Amino acid sequence: MALSFGRMTRPVGVGLAMAVGATITLGAATPASAAAGQRVKVQEMVTKDGGFFYTTNEAEKRDAITKHGWSTTQTPLYYVSKTPFAGGKPLFRLRWSKKASYLVTASAAERQKLVSSGAFTYEGVLGYAPATSRAGGDVKVFRLANNNKWRLAIESHTEKILAGEPGWRLDGPLLRQFSQAG
């Protein structure tokens, strides 16, 4: 079962280097929140395999629901930028090869390691997230793991998951999100 991810950004090689370079070199020239471009809502869905899937694309969300029977969750998530910006970093989406379970990382090294293992397929950039509060990110986002399932959660929801849903463990902080569409 494969979804069409045609609208996701897929920077590779020089494109990724340019995106990361732009993030680094634009530093303090302008406030990051002003340079963040169009912000899009991060949507969390549950796959039929019980994995978690993340998208910022409404058409992709509709396809996941209508073509694959996946459902949306009530997990509170916020906004990321569609384009690179000063102080922002790409969020990479990977699909676990054994089931419809997805992992999001902000680490290019982790992405490469997981893809090289053969256990994951790189699907592209989900969006660009503030690396710090100074870059405009006012909501901390964490990644949690539970037996080959990964999910994202804001700080307050992370605490609820860890306390009320057995098996989940904190994988660590991811980046941040914008609380408003801006």
Side-chain angles (χ1 to χ4, degrees):
M1 166 166 47
L3 285 174
S4 170
F5 299 114
R7 295 182 189 233
M8 285 189 62
T9 306
R10 293 181 188 262
V12 293
V14 175
L16 178 59
M18 289 175 63
V20 171
T23 298
I24 294 167
T25 58
L26 291 175
T30 58
S33 57
Q38 181 185 2
R39 296 178 189 170
V40 289
K41 180 92 168 136
V42 177
Q43 301 286 327
E44 180 185 71
M45 305 184 79
V46 177
T47 71
K48 284 188 174 183
D49 289 334
F52 290 85
F53 171 74
Y54 296 90
T55 186
T56 57
N57 182 296
E58 283 298 318
E60 186 174 58
K61 177 184 163 187
R62 276 191 310 276
D63 283 351
I65 293 167
T66 59
K67 293 180 181 177
H68 302 290
W70 297 358
S71 58
T72 57
T73 70
Q74 298 302 312
T75 299
L77 292 171
Y78 294 96
Y79 299 89
V80 295
S81 176
K82 287 179 84 168
T83 58
F85 63 94
K89 295 195 175 216
L91 291 172
F92 307 110
R93 186 175 74 191
L94 298 102
R95 184 181 197 273
W96 189 42
S97 58
K98 295 186 181 185
K99 291 185 178 180
S101 190
Y102 296 78
L103 180 141
V104 175
T105 183
S107 167
E110 181 181 38
R111 177 197 68 196
Q112 187 57 43
K113 179 182 173 186
L114 292 171
V115 170
S116 294
S117 76
F120 288 85
T121 303
Y122 173 56
E123 291 195 336
V125 174
L126 179 66
Y128 297 85
T132 64
S133 59
R134 188 170 179 215
D138 45 357
V139 180
K140 290 181 184 177
V141 178
F142 295 86
R143 187 174 73 195
L144 297 101
N146 181 353
N147 195 25
N148 297 314
K149 293 187 275 185
W150 303 269
R151 67 189 298 190
L152 305 180
I154 62 172
E155 191 167 20
S156 61
H157 197 66
T158 296
E159 295 163 8
K160 289 177 185 175
I161 292 169
L162 293 172
E165 297 181 34
W168 288 100
R169 66 176 168 74
L170 186 61
D171 227 9
L174 189 56
L175 286 177
R176 293 176 170 262
Q177 291 181 349
F178 300 105
S179 63
Q180 297 180 1

